[in-house]
Amino acid sequence: MNAIFVLIAGLGAMALGYVFYSKFIAEKIYRLDANFRTPAHEFEDGVDFVPTNKFVLWGHHFTSVAGAAPIIGPAIAVIWGWVPAFLWVIFGTIFFAGVHDAGAIWASNRNKAKSIGALTGDVVGKRARSLFMIVIFLVLLMVNAVFAVVIAGLLVDFPSAVVPVWGAIFVALIIGQLIYRKYIGLIAVSFIGVLALYGLIGLGPLFPVELADSFMGMAQNTQWILILFLYAAIASLLPVWMLLQPRDYINGLQLFIGLILVYAAVLISGPEMVAPAFNSNVPEGTPSIIPLLFVTIACGAISGFHGLVAGGTTSKQLNKETDARFVGYFGAVGEGSLALAAIIAATAGFATVADWEAVYSAFGQGGVNAFVSGGASIISNGIGLELSLAETLLTVMAVLFAGTTMDTGLRLQRYIFQEWGNIYNINWMQKVLPSTLLAVGACLILAFGAGSGGSGGLLIWPLFGTTNQLLAGLTLLVITVILARLGRNVYFTLIPLVFLLIMTVMALLLQLRTFYAAGDWFLFGLDLVVLVAAIFIALECAATLSRLRTEGSGEKASGEKSADKKD
């Protein structure tokens, strides 16, 4: 099939989902109220709580949740054929991710911008909260440790990316000042930021940067990991308007330019989807498509990490409650669009089926490299951009997104330690600096544990997909309980969460058997912890829903003001 039809069908379906389905969810289910006083106004402090333009906030939310995951997952999952990957991305974006992301923002916003973990204690119970926090902590640990390893590896392999990657930070700092101190219009700032960013991409190949092969006994990878965590720690302490918001916003614009280039090249050159629509000849050792498809493609269809961002940083910056539809649901559409581009690049970016099969010779192959090489080939053939420049552009795009996710992830992990400090009355842990040091320390212990030389985070990466999707299902559980307490229709969140819980529990059981057979007791133990936590949280939530149904409750969720009452 020609990729043009896949592109038009995918974008058209997601556009219709945003125009019609998100409007229904926002007005009839969540009942977003423009007059509700958001926590960004109620607790405004100029650091974490900052009322923000919805376009800038969309940029923060979207780029924070995107990272490299919506590229990696779909570009791996096409090993089962491009049709299953395409269908899960489209239907997942419309009926799962958009509802999940907007709902997490709404629920947090209605409860003083509490995180989903803390909110669980209010709407379900303390035991469920404690278990939920363990799952959240593990997901953040995986994201922060692994993304540091991945970014470090890319900076070592592509020294031409160093200047644009780090230069983007200085561009963001300037953009933040221009917006909040000089009051320059957003359009002018956007133009300046994009020009500066692409100017840096052009300079990158002219001024490649490589660290010393060894410094104080540390290899290049190790040096970059330490530098990245030092940067992330400092970034997490800065006010969100100074770096986090402008960096994410400019990266969001950069992504759309990258997507426009890919999509325009597809429309011009009309490449064929050379990979099989349904691949019945998968390499030996490839796991079953069910349930693995639904955990391999996380970001791009639905991801629990989105709920952490939605209730961690996004809800603290929401200017109007009605902005949750644009920021949350449209943010999911943006992520789905990136996943769609990854599918096309990883299937139509090859000359022949044989070329594609050579890359996808085993499960787990493809990923970012398939996206970069395939996408660059499509861009080069479609609009005539030099292949090496197209590869640099897509590589920098992937690295910058991974970096923004790491920025937000470390800030969220700091929030987790602070919340534990509040829960258990540990005063010093509630402070910003100690909690930040704890977050960095936990990531470094994982990254450098067992003499791994910095790659230790990759040890628990096999569990990321299942743990992440489980977290999405549990977030939908909390949202469903809140809706039930308000006497609202719960089926639009209940159906997706049941599907997710079934798929992720199946995947966890499958992995448990795999780890046991391989004698990998570390991953076996972690898998068991996550599985037991999931079962107990699900039972707690089910008991709460059953009790509410019996009571015929219309009571409000803890700390929530009625959504029908004008504030």
Side-chain angles (χ1 to χ4, degrees), residues 26-27 30-42 51-52 54 106 109-110 318-326 488 561-567:
E27 294 181 356
Y30 298 142
R31 301 181 193 176
L32 304 181
D33 182 1
N35 295 316
F36 180 83
R37 192 181 183 208
T38 66
H41 289 282
E42 185 177 356
T52 304
K54 70 177 183 179
W106 165 75
N109 178 68
R110 285 279 166 166
L318 197 68
N319 185 39
K320 293 182 178 180
E321 187 174 77
T322 47
D323 291 347
R325 178 192 173 198
F326 179 79
R488 309 263 181 88
K561 300 176 184 178
S562 172
D564 302 316
K565 180 181 178 181
K566 298 295 183 182
D567 206 37

Side-chain angles (χ1 to χ4, degrees), residues 454-524:
S455 62
L458 298 176
L459 293 175
I460 62 173
W461 187 248
L463 274 174
F464 172 75
T466 45
T467 308
N468 184 51
Q469 294 301 75
L470 175 65
L471 183 58
L474 297 179
T475 300
L476 284 170
L477 263 176
V478 173
I479 295 170
T480 301
V481 171
I482 293 174
L483 289 172
R485 286 192 166 190
L486 292 167
R488 309 263 181 88
N489 189 328
V490 301
Y491 290 105
F492 297 95
T493 55
L494 184 63
I495 293 172
L497 82 84
V498 169
F499 178 83
L500 276 179
L501 288 180
I502 291 173
M503 290 299 114
T504 51
V505 169
M506 285 176 62
L508 281 167
L509 290 171
L510 183 64
Q511 288 180 321
L512 200 65
R513 185 178 65 182
T514 302
F515 298 146
Y516 178 81
D520 193 334
W521 304 116
F522 176 68
L523 287 179
F524 179 86

Side-chain angles (χ1 to χ4, degrees), residues 144-185:
N144 292 334
V146 174
F147 273 37
V149 175
V150 170
I151 295 170
L154 288 170
L155 293 177
V156 171
D157 294 339
F158 300 97
S160 63
V162 174
V163 168
V165 165
W166 291 99
I169 296 170
F170 294 99
V171 172
L173 287 169
I174 294 170
I175 293 302
Q177 295 294 324
L178 290 176
I179 293 176
Y180 289 98
R181 298 301 188 201
K182 302 296 183 181
Y183 303 103
I184 294 178

Side-chain angles (χ1 to χ4, degrees), residues 97-163:
V99 175
H100 170 276
D101 290 17
I105 296 173
W106 165 75
S108 178
N109 178 68
R110 285 279 166 166
N111 289 272
K112 301 185 183 300
K114 289 183 179 180
S115 72
I116 295 298
L119 194 53
T120 305
D122 293 341
V123 302
V124 181
K126 293 181 179 179
R127 183 166 48 191
R129 177 191 62 193
S130 298
L131 294 169
F132 208 140
M133 296 283 273
I134 292 172
V135 176
I136 291 172
F137 180 77
L138 286 174
V139 169
L140 288 173
L141 197 62
M142 293 176 195
V143 169
N144 292 334
V146 174
F147 273 37
V149 175
V150 170
I151 295 170
L154 288 170
L155 293 177
V156 171
D157 294 339
F158 300 97
S160 63
V162 174
V163 168

Side-chain angles (χ1 to χ4, degrees), residues 13 82 106 151-152 161 229 231 259 275 299 314 316 324 374 410 413 423 430 462 494 510 513 567:
W82 64 263
W106 165 75
I151 295 170
F229 275 114
Y231 155 73
L259 285 179
C299 297
T314 303
K316 293 177 174 63
L410 195 66
Q413 202 160 17
I423 292 170
Q430 299 174 31
L494 184 63
L510 183 64
R513 185 178 65 182
D567 206 37

